């Protein structure tokens, strides 16, 4: 049934589950089947590094099989419902209801309705209390779970903190429980509750007092709170050095290298900076070892150094030197996605730009120094200007600046300060020769649990909209581009960030009204949310608009992040007074409560404890013979579902993994010297296509062909590799032949006769710019005949500069429906 649906959806490769480095285990050889669920589209979920870590760890266990599932796009959801096909895992296409454990990764509150979509499509009841032992165990983890209460009623268990060790303990406990004679779900939950970092919502009863505050009472006195699980030493933590390489265009399409976890800068608005303490770094030697393995297994040409504040990594300069020395000659770039002004030096920037310049982003957060002190940014305007000036001088052409509106104590002067800041910067840098543009992004501040601002109020929807409109007007400046987050979406995010168990009914009501993908602008529907809020009777202002009293109970009080409430309260009071707190990494301990200096303490590296690393000389391009090669291949079966751009990416990475050294162009952005013949439309197979590549001399074409085929997904098969004189020495055919076989039914011969009897047969369609184009099918179709009632042979002219797809012929000439046409098997023949 799944194969019947794939031709009908916009991006079928999302649902194939055959990516490079996927793991498919024999179900008879494992004891527990788990499915890692990400409640967003494939392109977002496959970019989540935490999911890659869990997939790697679980599948290394011989008794565990872990597969993946993502929220299907709306078109796929519709087809699943219409055909009554249950949601399935990617790797084995197993319906989710037949899994043993389903684990959701929750990174964003506006993904919560997607959880319900996935459960609903799987035939699994939403609420844990409604599921008996015949259903899988539903668990969750991720940063949102430092306040799990809005979704607590949906889950049997929740992981709080680092999941690497916890998830294995939970899987092994399930195996032991499942092997017992009398399996009782309550017994399993009790066993799970004894694992540090595991929260069992049903073991805590929620009541509400006269003030409307949620009061949590433990069912078992010995299990009154849940402590966050912490991986004490990243150096020993498992790392996915063979990550799954997604199809399509994931938002993070590069090798991600987690250099450190945790941050001690102490920004008072930043939840991640609080809940991921203490700082734990990996050594340079460990990171270099990971990269060496990963690059050969992935073929990526970008390495992204991950951390909450990568610029603070103690050996960043040494690491960058080593990476660039080893990989710049191979055109592998290194990017720093989270860079703090003041941490980038000329030396680092020179290293980064050796291959090509990656994006450059700075987050001042506030427009005035007073407000930056309130949020404890520990960053001056001069530091920001100096860093960005250095970036422009060294050739970066686009700078991104991030700000927030609605921060505690914000005044009109602070709001004006954002525009003034940008104007001053623009004025100072306007004369810079390489200056191009500044992208300014503004979001509404959202108070989050386990931060000093967890007691703060969130500005109203009206104020948020007004502030953004003011900034929009003030930032109408040449070469300054202003973007903002939807204030309505920010309001809902704030509601669920600090909500309680009453919000689960709101989620169900909103879902039933059609709310999905609320984090996507094109799908977000605030009108439906307002209807659901009114229907359920939830007062948004109770959760967002009021400043909370220090002494009132908070819904997440029983979830212990490690940061003490006393420390957060102290920081909240210092914020009001605009007092800053210095980074404990370089100063004295601030007594936040996380470190016991026995099992939990900062683990950092510096040049002193990395003396064993000797800086490698840069590996220069070696002069060697080159050749131009025509590589012929088939594109069949599942490969027909690859769009052209993703197909190009698949080929390039396979070439890298196969050890073929492609030559690159010169200039600002070097590109691999590779070109493809006419791209095939999505859904069409071909028994002979080709591309041209300029590469180092290939001495043994047959060995290279076999090596390349081992790196390609099923359906792409390299037939031969031949040497040609130049990329221009390739034939361009004047016509293209196709063979079409209908899945069911027959072609109407009368339609064929009518077509040939007509002098013209016009097809009208609009191009991407909206301009109306007319194509005469009668001229474009050179030959059309029916060797069998359900089989069509078609020859289309290819010398007119216009493009005609076989689908156009099926729908216009034979009047087939779009669905009938897409389900036909179409093969481009030699």
């Amino acid at each position: 049934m799944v194969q019947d649906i794939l031709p009908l959806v916009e991006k079928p490769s999302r649902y194939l589950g055959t990516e490079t480095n996927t793991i498919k285990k024999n179900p008879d050889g494992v004891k527990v089947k788990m499915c890692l669920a990400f409640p967003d589209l494939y392109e977002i979920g496959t970019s989540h590094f935490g999911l890659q870590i869990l997939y790697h760890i679980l599948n290394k266990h011989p008794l565990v099989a872990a597969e993946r599932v993502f929220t299907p796009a709306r078109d796929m959801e519709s087809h699943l419902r219409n055909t009554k096909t249950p949601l399935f895992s990617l790797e084995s296409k197993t319906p989710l209801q037949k899994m043993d454990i389903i684990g959701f990764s929750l990174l964003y509150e506006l993904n919560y309705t997607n959880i319900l979509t996935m459960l609903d499509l799987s035939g699994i009841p939403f609420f844990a209390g409604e599921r008996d032992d015949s259903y899988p165990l539903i668990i969750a983890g991720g940063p949102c779970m430092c306040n799990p209460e809005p979704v607590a009623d949906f889950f049997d268990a929740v992981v709080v903190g680092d999941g690497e060790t916890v998830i294995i303990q939970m899987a092994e406990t399930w195996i032991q429980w499942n092997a017992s004679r009398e399996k009782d779900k309550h017994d399993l939950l009790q066993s799970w509750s004894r694992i540090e970092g595991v929260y069992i919502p049903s073991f805590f009863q929620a009541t509400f007092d006269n003030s409307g505050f949620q009061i949590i009472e433990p069912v078992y006195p010995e299990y009154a709170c849940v402590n966050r699980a912490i991986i004490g030493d990243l150096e020993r933590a498992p790392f996915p050095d063979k990550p799954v390489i997604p199809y399509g265009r994931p938002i993070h399409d590069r090798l991600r290298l987690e250099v450190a976890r945790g941050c001690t800068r102490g920004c008072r608005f930043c939840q991640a900076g609080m809940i991921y303490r203490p700082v734990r770094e990996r050594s340079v030697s460990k990171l270099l070892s990971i990269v060496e393995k990963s690059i050969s297994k992935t073929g990526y040409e970008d390495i992204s150094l991950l951390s909450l504040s990568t610029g603070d990594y103690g050996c960043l300069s040494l690491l960058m030197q080593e990476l660039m020395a080893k990989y710049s000659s191979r055109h592998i770039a290194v990017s720093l996605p989270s860079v703090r002004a003041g941490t980038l030096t000329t030396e680092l920037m020179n290293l980064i730009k050796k291959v090509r310049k990656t994006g450059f982003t700075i987050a001042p957060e506030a427009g005035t120094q007073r407000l930056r002190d309130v949020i404890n940014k520990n960053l001056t305007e001069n530091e920001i200007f100096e860093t960005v000036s250095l970036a422009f001088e060294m050739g970066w052409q686009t700078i991104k600046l991030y700000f927030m509106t609605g921060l505690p104590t914000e005044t009109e002067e602070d709001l004006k300060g954002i525009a003034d800041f940008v104007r001053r910067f623009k004025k100072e840098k306007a004369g810079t020769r390489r200056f191009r543009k500044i992208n300014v992004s503004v979001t509404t501040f959202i108070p989050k649990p386990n931060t000093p601002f967890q007691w703060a109020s969130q500005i109203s929807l009206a104020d948020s909209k007004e502030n953004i409109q003011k900034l929009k007007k003030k930032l109408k400046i040449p070469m300054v581009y202003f973007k903002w987050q939807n204030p309505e979406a920010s309001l809902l995010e704030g509601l669920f960030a600090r909500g309680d168990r009453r919000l689960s009914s709101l989620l169900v009501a909103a879902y039933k009204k059609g709310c999905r993908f609320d984090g996507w602008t094109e799908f977000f529907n605030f009108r439906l949310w307002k209807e659901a809020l009114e229907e359920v009777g939830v007062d948004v202002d109770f959760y967002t608009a009021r400043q909370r009293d220090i002494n009132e109970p908070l819904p997440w009080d029983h979830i212990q992040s490690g940061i003490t409430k006393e420390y957060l309260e102290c920081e909240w009071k210092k914020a009001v007074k605009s007092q800053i707190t210095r980074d404990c990494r370089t100063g004295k301990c601030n007594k936040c409560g996380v470190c016991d200096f026995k099992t939990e303490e900062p683990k950092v590296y510096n040049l002193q404890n990395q003396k064993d690393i000797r800086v490698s000389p840069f590996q220069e391009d070696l002069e060697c013979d080159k050749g131009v090669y025509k590589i012929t291949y088939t594109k069949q079966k599942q490969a027909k579902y690859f769009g052209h751009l993703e197909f190009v990416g698949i080929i390039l990475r396979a070439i890298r993994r196969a050890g073929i050294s492609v030559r690159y162009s010169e200039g600002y952005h070097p590109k691999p010297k590779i070109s493809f013949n006419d791209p095939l439309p999505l859904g069409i197979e071909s028994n002979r296509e080709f591309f041209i590549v300029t590469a180092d001399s290939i001495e043994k074409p047959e060995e290279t062909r076999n090596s390349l085929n081992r790196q390609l997904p099923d359906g792409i098969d390299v037939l031969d590799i031949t040497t040609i004189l130049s990329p221009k020495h390739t034939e361009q055919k004047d016509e293209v032949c196709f063979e079409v076989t209908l899945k069911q039914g027959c072609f109407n011969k009368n339609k064929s006769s009518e077509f040939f009897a007509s002098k013209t047969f016009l097809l009208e369609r609009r191009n991407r710019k909206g301009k109306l184009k007319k194509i005469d099918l009668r001229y474009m179709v050179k030959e059309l005949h029916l060797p069998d009632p359900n089989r069509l042979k078609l020859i289309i002219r290819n010398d007119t500069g216009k493009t005609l797809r076989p689908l156009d012929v099926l729908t216009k000439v034979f009047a087939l429906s779009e669905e009938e046409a897409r389900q036909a098997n179409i093969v481009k023949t030699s």
Side-chain angles (χ1 to χ4, degrees):
M1 185 60 75
V2 175
Q3 293 304 318
D4 294 336
I5 295 175
L6 290 181
L8 306 177
V9 297
E10 181 186 6
K11 296 180 180 180
S13 63
R14 288 168 168 165
Y15 313 104
L16 293 176
T18 58
E19 307 97 316
T20 296
N21 297 334
T22 51
I23 299 170
K24 298 181 180 180
K25 291 189 174 182
N26 181 349
D28 297 331
V30 299
K31 298 294 185 182
V32 58
K33 294 177 291 183
M34 300 181 67
C35 196
L36 300 175
F38 196 93
D40 208 330
L41 291 179
Y42 173 90
E43 291 82 358
I44 307 298
T46 52
S47 298
H48 175 43
F49 185 64
L51 197 73
Q52 293 269 20
I53 292 175
L54 296 177
Y55 187 79
H56 170 79
I57 290 171
L58 288 166
N59 280 311
K60 281 188 72 175
H61 196 294
L63 300 181
V64 180
E67 303 190 2
R68 301 162 298 143
V69 66
F70 305 92
T71 307
R74 289 203 165 200
D75 59 347
M76 185 62 161
E77 178 188 347
S78 176
H79 287 298
L80 290 175
R81 292 189 188 281
N82 291 340
T83 58
K84 297 182 179 179
T85 303
L87 185 61
F88 50 86
S89 65
L90 293 188
E91 282 78 358
S92 66
K93 304 297 182 288
T94 300
L96 261 57
Q97 194 179 123
K98 293 185 178 180
M99 289 289 177
D100 298 314
I101 301 173
I102 301 172
F104 283 87
S105 293
L106 302 180
L107 282 72
Y108 185 30
E109 291 85 354
L110 294 188
N111 283 345
Y112 286 170
T113 51
N114 294 341
I115 300 170
L116 304 185
T117 301
M118 298 172 80
L119 293 177
D120 193 16
L121 288 172
S122 306
I124 298 173
F126 296 153
F127 293 96
E130 298 174 355
R131 298 191 292 265
D132 59 26
D133 292 355
S134 66
Y135 292 103
L137 277 297
I138 311 296
I139 66 175
C144 285
M145 294 300 92
C146 64
N147 175 26
E149 293 309 289
V151 292
D153 288 338
F154 302 139
F155 295 107
D156 296 297
V158 170
V159 176
V160 179
D162 297 332
E164 287 97 326
T165 302
V166 177
I167 197 67
I168 290 296
Q169 290 177 295
M170 294 181 75
E172 291 178 340
T173 302
W174 187 94
I175 292 171
Q176 293 171 4
W177 167 80
N178 190 55
S180 63
R181 292 183 178 180
E182 296 182 5
K183 292 189 297 182
D184 182 85
K185 182 177 176 180
H186 187 270
D187 292 340
L188 173 64
L189 298 181
Q190 280 198 318
S191 296
W192 275 357
S193 72
R194 289 190 282 271
I195 301 172
E196 184 164 62
V198 176
Y199 170 47
I200 308 298
S202 61
F203 287 4
F204 292 81
Q205 296 299 317
T207 58
F208 299 89
D209 65 16
N210 293 333
S211 299
F213 302 144
Q214 175 174 292
I215 309 297
I216 286 286
E217 292 291 340
V219 174
Y220 303 101
E222 69 277 11
Y223 183 58
C225 66
V226 178
N227 295 316
R228 175 171 69 100
I230 301 175
I231 294 291
D233 189 357
L234 278 193
E235 193 78 352
R236 300 178 183 178
F239 190 94
D241 54 18
K242 197 177 175 182
V244 175
I245 306 172
Y247 291 141
R249 298 177 67 83
I251 57 171
H252 297 304
D253 197 14
R254 58 187 69 93
L255 178 64
R256 286 154 293 172
L257 187 65
E258 187 188 30
V259 300
R261 195 175 298 181
C263 177
T264 51
R265 287 285 181 172
C267 298
R268 292 170 179 140
F269 61 86
C270 181
Q271 186 182 62
M274 296 292 166
I275 66 172
Y276 286 121
R277 294 184 179 197
V279 171
R280 293 144 290 161
E281 296 181 346
R282 285 187 169 92
S283 68
V284 172
S285 57
K286 181 69 173 181
L287 293 169
L288 292 175
S289 172
I290 291 170
V291 173
E292 187 174 355
K293 295 176 184 176
S294 300
I295 287 294
S296 66
K297 298 296 184 182
T298 61
Y300 278 126
E301 59 178 12
D302 289 277
I303 302 170
S304 180
L305 305 185
L306 292 187
S307 171
L308 290 174
S309 183
T310 307
D312 288 331
Y313 176 62
C315 298
L316 182 59
S317 178
L318 177 60
L319 176 62
M320 289 291 297
Q321 288 180 64
E322 284 296 296
L323 289 175
M324 299 312 299
K326 291 185 177 183
Y327 299 109
S328 62
S329 64
R330 292 162 58 180
H331 297 276
I332 295 174
V334 180
S335 63
L336 309 177
S338 54
V339 177
R340 182 182 172 89
T343 61
L344 274 184
T345 63
T346 305
E347 178 188 31
L348 280 174
M349 287 190 170
N350 272 322
L351 288 167
I352 297 170
K353 73 171 189 174
K354 281 191 179 292
V355 175
R356 58 182 174 275
K357 295 173 183 64
T358 49
F360 194 88
T361 301
I362 294 290
E365 311 292 2
T368 64
Q369 192 59 48
R370 183 200 71 82
L371 195 52
R372 280 193 290 275
D373 290 343
V374 168
I375 65 177
N376 204 48
K377 189 67 180 176
N378 278 313
L379 191 64
T380 66
E381 187 170 293
N382 285 339
E383 289 176 314
I384 299 170
F385 273 42
E386 287 172 6
T387 300
V388 179
S389 297
L390 182 61
F392 274 138
E393 289 167 8
M394 299 194 71
W396 269 264
Q397 298 185 2
T398 300
I399 303 294
K400 297 178 183 178
L401 298 174
Y402 282 94
F403 295 92
M404 286 186 283
T405 181
L407 287 163
T409 78
E410 182 185 62
T411 64
E412 196 68 31
E413 190 65 24
D414 297 310
L415 191 66
K416 179 175 175 289
I418 294 176
D420 291 343
F421 179 98
V422 176
R423 285 182 179 278
R424 283 196 302 274
F425 178 78
K426 172 70 164 54
K427 183 178 180 181
E428 288 194 20
K429 293 294 107 191
T432 302
R433 184 170 59 87
R434 289 183 178 273
F435 175 80
R436 289 295 182 271
K437 65 179 181 179
I438 304 173
N439 291 326
V440 179
S441 179
V442 174
T443 61
T444 301
F445 164 68
I446 300 167
K448 292 292 179 93
N450 293 289
T451 69
F453 290 161
Q454 65 182 358
W455 292 286
S457 60
Q458 182 173 339
I459 62 171
S460 69
L461 181 58
D463 287 344
S464 178
K465 288 181 176 179
E466 183 181 354
N467 288 355
I468 286 173
Q469 286 304 312
K470 287 178 181 178
L471 288 171
K472 189 177 178 182
K473 290 179 181 178
K474 292 178 184 294
L475 289 173
K476 286 186 176 179
I477 307 169
M479 303 308 293
V480 173
Y481 299 85
F482 180 59
K483 295 181 180 179
W484 63 93
Q485 182 175 326
N486 185 343
E488 294 169 341
S490 297
L491 180 68
L492 282 180
E493 183 181 343
L495 169 65
F496 285 104
R498 296 188 294 169
D500 53 37
R501 293 196 187 185
R502 286 173 292 197
L503 298 188
S504 60
S505 59
L506 171 63
L507 280 166
V508 173
Y511 170 75
K512 289 181 177 179
K513 290 181 180 296
C515 293
R516 311 274 197 286
F517 295 109
D518 300 298
W520 293 76
T521 302
E522 57 267 46
F523 300 127
F524 180 67
N525 190 327
F526 192 56
R527 177 184 60 81
L528 296 180
W529 276 102
K530 287 195 293 185
E531 290 177 7
L533 285 163
E534 185 176 349
E535 180 181 301
V536 178
V538 169
D539 178 8
V540 176
D541 289 348
F542 175 81
Y543 295 95
T544 62
R546 63 186 182 85
Q547 181 170 309
R548 303 192 182 199
D549 188 272
I550 289 289
N551 297 313
E552 78 173 65
L554 299 173
W556 55 91
D557 276 341
H558 56 302
I559 305 296
Q560 304 296 312
S561 69
I563 302 281
T564 66
K565 208 168 185 177
E566 291 74 21
Y567 173 78
L568 296 177
E569 181 181 343
C570 178
E571 285 295 297
W572 171 232
K573 291 176 179 178
K574 289 175 74 174
V576 175
K577 298 175 183 178
S578 299
Q579 295 176 349
I580 62 173
T581 299
R582 296 297 180 186
D583 187 349
C584 68
R585 185 189 185 109
T586 54
K588 65 178 183 179
C589 174
N590 291 317
K591 296 181 171 56
C592 70
V594 169
C595 298
D596 60 9
F597 298 99
K598 295 177 183 177
T599 57
E600 271 86 44
E601 61 180 345
K603 284 186 170 57
V604 298
Y605 292 87
N606 53 51
L607 296 180
Q608 295 302 312
N609 57 26
Q610 293 286 278
K611 289 182 178 179
D612 58 319
I613 303 293
R614 293 185 178 182
V615 179
S616 304
F618 270 82
Q619 297 179 6
E620 301 293 338
D621 284 323
L622 298 176
E623 288 294 329
C624 56
D625 293 337
K626 69 175 182 178
V628 181
Y629 302 96
K630 178 180 178 181
I631 300 182
T632 307
Y633 63 93
T634 65
K635 189 181 180 189
Q636 299 170 333
K637 301 177 183 177
Q638 66 152 17
K640 69 181 180 180
Y641 296 125
F642 301 140
H644 180 64
L645 290 179
E646 69 178 307
F647 179 76
V648 170
I650 289 168
I651 293 293
L652 284 172
R653 283 170 186 158
I655 285 174
R656 282 179 169 271
R657 293 193 302 274
I660 301 171
S661 297
V662 176
R663 294 298 179 96
Y664 277 70
S665 63
E666 302 294 331
Y668 188 73
H669 285 297
K671 300 290 184 183
K673 291 185 176 181
I674 186 169
S675 60
F676 291 76
N677 67 326
D678 294 339
L680 282 174
L682 187 71
I684 293 181
E685 299 182 37
S686 175
N687 56 26
R688 198 168 187 86
E689 296 292 305
F690 71 87
F691 61 87
I692 307 298
V693 62
T694 303
D696 289 354
S697 181
I698 296 176
E699 302 295 338
K700 299 178 180 180
E702 187 60 21
E703 287 186 14
T704 301
R705 184 184 75 87
N706 291 334
S707 176
L708 189 52
N709 277 332
R710 285 193 294 270
Q711 302 301 330
L712 289 167
D714 184 39
I716 305 174
D717 185 30
V718 173
L719 302 175
D720 55 62
I721 300 176
T722 56
T723 304
I724 59 176
L725 294 176
S726 78
K728 296 180 181 179
H729 283 72
T730 55
E731 71 278 8
Q732 178 68 38
K733 294 186 176 180
D734 294 335
E735 56 190 40
V736 185
C737 306
F738 297 93
E739 187 169 306
V740 182
T741 305
L742 294 180
K743 179 189 173 186
Q744 53 189 1
C746 300
F747 287 103
N748 188 332
K749 284 187 177 181
N750 293 333
K751 295 288 185 182
S752 175
S753 302
E754 291 171 7
F755 175 72
F756 281 113
S758 61
K759 293 183 177 181
T760 60
F761 200 104
L762 290 181
L763 166 68
E764 293 185 350
R765 65 183 178 202
R766 296 189 180 276
N767 62 18
R768 292 180 179 179
K769 295 182 180 180
K771 189 175 180 180
L772 187 66
K773 294 285 186 179
K774 294 183 180 181
I775 300 175
D776 185 0
L777 269 65
R778 186 64 189 81
Y779 175 76
M780 291 288 291
V781 176
K782 183 177 179 180
E783 188 175 325
L784 182 157
H785 69 278
L786 302 169
D788 295 302
N790 68 332
R791 197 157 59 93
L792 166 71
K793 287 195 173 183
L794 176 67
I795 299 178
I796 296 176
R797 296 183 189 275
N798 194 38
D799 58 354
T800 65
K802 296 181 179 180
T803 302
L804 179 66
R805 302 175 305 162
L807 285 179
D808 294 326
V809 177
L810 299 183
T811 56
K812 300 301 179 183
V813 175
F814 290 97
L816 296 181
S817 68
E818 187 79 11
E819 183 170 320
E820 289 173 321
R822 288 186 178 278
Q823 288 186 320
N825 184 50
I826 305 175
V827 181
K828 179 182 173 184
T829 57
S830 300

